[in-house]
Amino acid sequence: MDLLRRFGQFLDRPGFPWKRLVVTFQIAQYIFEGFLSFRQYKILQQTRPPKTLEGEVKQETFDKSQAYGRAKAQFGLYSGVYSQIQNFGTIYFDLLPQLWDLTGTWIHRSAPQGFTGEITHTLVFFFVYNLGTTILNLPIAYYSTFVLEERFGFNKSTVKLWVTDLLKGQALGIALGAPLLSAFLAIVQKTGNSFFYYLFLFGIGVQLFAITIYPIAILPLFNKLSPLKEGELKTGVEGLAKRLDFPLKQLFVIDGSKRSAHSNAYFYGLPWKKHIVIYDTLIEKSETEEVVAVLSHELGHWSLSHTTKLFGIAQFHMFYVFALFSVFINNRSLYQSFGFHREFPIIIGFILFSEALAPMDMVIKLLMNVLSRRFEFEADEFAVKLGYSTELARSLIKLQIQNLSTMDADWMYASYHFSHPILPERLGALGWSGKEKKADPKAMNGEKPSVITGREL
């Protein structure tokens, strides 16, 4: 505690140019990521697939995959510029202190006497701020779904469904976010300099609550879960779970196809009671053994304790973030650099602290991607030991083709951005011989592509 206090005093230097430091890093990060995107764009201009895939992917499919990759890269460039303009505008024109003052004036004029404290002020501020950023980002979100994804045959949503999902998300954000944010602020206010211990315990509780409540109360608002019907697939998955002593409680199919052609397969639940969810698009586009192979990879993460290790790392990261926040929460030079001279709100301190912490977040992101790619290779090896080498390789190739995923990558770009190895690396590790017939997307039960997302395959 004394070390953190002294570190905080060392950083709180009057006149220290925190704003200039944050803006400089944002520019440097944008230039660096733009450099990586330029390197990747050159890979996306190649006209021949990697040698590993030459016998598996038709030229027409490869060309379309490259076109999709270039379209996403161009979209990323423009959306990145738009995001930078928003960030710089917010900082340069001191919009945060102006919005804080504006919402404070409104509260003091309109709210009852008992609702004029910092918690109420923060909730109103956060609501207005979030509403503004959501509106500003609507054009980007709309273009991504109804232009980019539509152009390549991915989008299956409608404008009505898209708007409905947006409104549901905002409503959930208010219903869940307001009490959580209130509790966050109350803990900081009432527990003194040791608040980060209590925030850490609160964060663990929130995560456990979310694991329990999400599939029961939140997921059904957006998707329908149905029990997997009796048949070869259910028998195969239950046999796999029994073989691994996986505590499977239920098998579900989710109607992901009503929004997108992308697919997912994941499990959730408490350590003693797990549920597996398979997207209908994955079942539709894959053979039974290929779906089981996908799940053997996913259950490999469980069996090898990858999920437990990642959860543990996440808890350590959360504790370290809250502990560092205790160093910055009373840093008057940080507040003043961004235009807060009279009031020093907790939530503003956390926002500014997050900006100052961004360089460290870049390093952590890189290290986590390195670890994640290692875990993916280990999960693939686990599936191979179960006897699913060929089926897993076939499913990887199919999903790559159906999704038009990038089939090659610049090593620097992949190291920074990718949490999963690229397909040629995974096929090489699987010992894929390449003797199978070329995969033809037109012969795969439909034209729409699919991909394993979330805890991806």
Side-chain angles (χ1 to χ4, degrees):
M1 286 294 298
D2 186 57
L3 178 63
L4 291 176
R5 181 183 57 80
R6 283 186 290 170
F7 186 43
Q9 292 174 345
F10 172 77
L11 292 175
D12 191 4
R13 300 184 176 188
F16 189 82
W18 287 105
K19 180 187 287 189
R20 189 187 313 160
L21 193 67
V22 167
V23 170
T24 299
F25 176 75
Q26 287 183 350
I27 294 173
Q29 181 180 11
Y30 183 73
I31 292 173
F32 173 68
E33 292 181 354
F35 167 70
L36 295 181
S37 296
F38 174 74
R39 291 176 60 98
Q40 178 63 10
Y41 199 82
K42 291 196 294 185
I43 299 293
L44 295 171
Q45 291 177 313
Q46 294 177 353
T47 57
R48 300 295 301 174
K51 289 186 178 181
T52 311
L53 299 178
E54 284 182 348
E56 312 299 334
V57 179
K58 290 192 173 183
Q59 187 64 42
E60 177 186 359
T61 303
F62 178 75
D63 292 341
K64 192 173 181 181
S65 169
Q66 293 289 83
Y68 181 49
R70 291 193 298 269
K72 289 194 296 182
Q74 292 164 3
F75 173 73
L77 173 65
Y78 296 131
S79 61
V81 170
Y82 185 63
S83 177
Q84 290 301 313
I85 291 173
Q86 289 185 50
N87 290 339
F88 292 150
T90 300
I91 293 173
Y92 182 80
F93 294 106
D94 284 335
L95 295 185
L96 288 179
Q98 291 186 50
L99 181 59
W100 181 263
D101 290 341
L102 183 65
T103 51
T105 299
W106 180 84
I107 288 171
H108 285 293
R109 287 179 180 176
S110 307
Q113 186 62 35
F115 294 90
T116 57
E118 183 178 353
I119 292 179
T120 302
H121 191 170
T122 299
L123 293 177
V124 174
F125 167 84
F126 210 76
F127 171 77
V128 176
Y129 179 78
N130 182 63
L131 180 63
T133 55
T134 299
I135 292 173
L136 286 174
N137 289 321
L138 280 179
I140 297 295
Y142 182 90
Y143 184 92
S144 175
T145 300
F146 294 103
V147 179
L148 177 60
E149 297 295 296
E150 187 81 30
R151 176 183 165 192
F152 289 92
F154 287 86
N155 178 49
K156 300 180 75 175
S157 183
T158 63
V159 174
K160 180 181 179 181
L161 183 59
W162 182 73
V163 172
T164 301
D165 285 347
L166 180 66
L167 294 176
K168 286 181 181 179
Q170 291 296 310
L172 278 172
I174 295 171
L176 298 178
L180 291 177
L181 182 55
S182 299
F184 175 92
L185 297 171
I187 289 171
V188 176
Q189 288 177 340
K190 296 181 182 300
T191 55
N193 294 331
S194 301
F195 71 84
F196 59 92
Y197 290 113
Y198 300 96
L199 279 184
F200 172 65
L201 296 175
F202 174 70
I204 293 177
V206 169
Q207 291 175 78
L208 295 176
F209 173 76
I211 291 172
T212 304
I213 200 68
Y214 175 78
I216 299 172
I218 298 177
L219 184 60
L221 295 175
F222 298 90
N223 291 97
K224 180 182 178 182
L225 288 174
S226 304
L228 180 63
K229 296 179 180 179
E230 296 292 336
E232 185 181 357
L233 178 57
K234 185 175 182 180
T235 301
V237 175
E238 288 178 340
L240 175 66
K242 185 175 181 180
R243 181 178 176 186
L244 300 176
D245 291 326
F246 181 76
L248 177 62
K249 177 68 175 179
Q250 283 181 297
L251 269 170
F252 292 112
V253 178
I254 190 170
D255 61 340
S257 60
K258 77 175 185 178
R259 285 180 180 80
S260 173
H262 296 301
S263 297
N264 197 1
Y266 62 91
F267 61 86
Y268 68 87
L270 298 170
W272 57 88
K273 186 173 68 174
K274 300 288 188 182
H275 308 271
I276 291 177
V277 178
I278 309 172
Y279 272 52
D280 54 357
T281 45
L282 180 62
I283 296 174
E284 177 188 349
K285 306 297 169 82
S286 306
E287 301 295 332
T288 297
E289 283 300 305
E290 292 168 354
V291 177
V292 176
V294 167
L295 290 172
S296 72
H297 169 97
E298 294 300 325
L299 297 192
H301 287 302
W302 170 82
S303 184
L304 297 170
S305 301
H306 292 165
T307 50
T308 302
K309 292 173 183 175
L310 291 175
F311 182 79
I313 292 172
Q315 305 321 298
F316 175 79
H317 180 253
M318 180 172 63
F319 182 80
Y320 129 84
V321 167
F322 287 152
L324 275 184
F325 178 45
S326 72
V327 171
F328 282 84
I329 191 171
N330 295 314
N331 190 318
R332 295 295 183 259
S333 65
L334 177 63
Y335 283 97
Q336 291 168 357
S337 183
F338 285 87
F340 289 87
H341 300 284
R342 291 178 289 107
E343 292 184 84
F344 309 101
I346 295 170
I347 190 63
I348 296 297
F350 192 73
I351 292 173
L352 299 181
F353 158 71
S354 299
E355 295 286 357
L357 197 65
M360 184 61 69
D361 286 342
M362 278 186 64
V363 175
I364 291 174
K365 173 186 173 181
L366 177 63
L367 295 176
M368 288 304 298
N369 281 343
V370 171
L371 180 63
S372 178
R373 288 194 295 270
R374 175 184 170 185
F375 283 172
E376 292 304 313
F377 280 124
E378 290 179 356
D380 283 350
E381 183 182 5
F382 184 86
V384 170
K385 291 178 179 178
L386 292 177
Y388 292 105
S389 174
T390 300
E391 292 83 359
L392 182 58
R394 280 206 313 260
S395 67
L396 286 171
I397 294 169
K398 272 190 180 183
L399 292 167
Q400 193 85 4
I401 292 171
Q402 292 165 359
N403 187 53
L404 299 180
S405 296
T406 301
M407 300 188 186
D408 201 359
D410 171 74
W411 71 270
M412 285 183 65
Y413 182 90
S415 298
Y416 181 77
H417 284 290
F418 288 179
S419 61
H420 288 59
I422 60 175
L423 181 60
E425 293 175 336
R426 296 182 72 176
L427 292 179
L430 288 170
W432 177 247
S433 64
K435 294 179 181 179
E436 297 288 325
K437 179 183 176 181
K438 281 188 180 181
D440 186 349
K442 295 180 181 178
M444 290 184 184
N445 264 342
E447 302 92 18
K448 301 282 186 175
S450 60
V451 63
I452 300 298
T453 56
R455 182 71 217 173
E456 293 184 352
L457 174 63

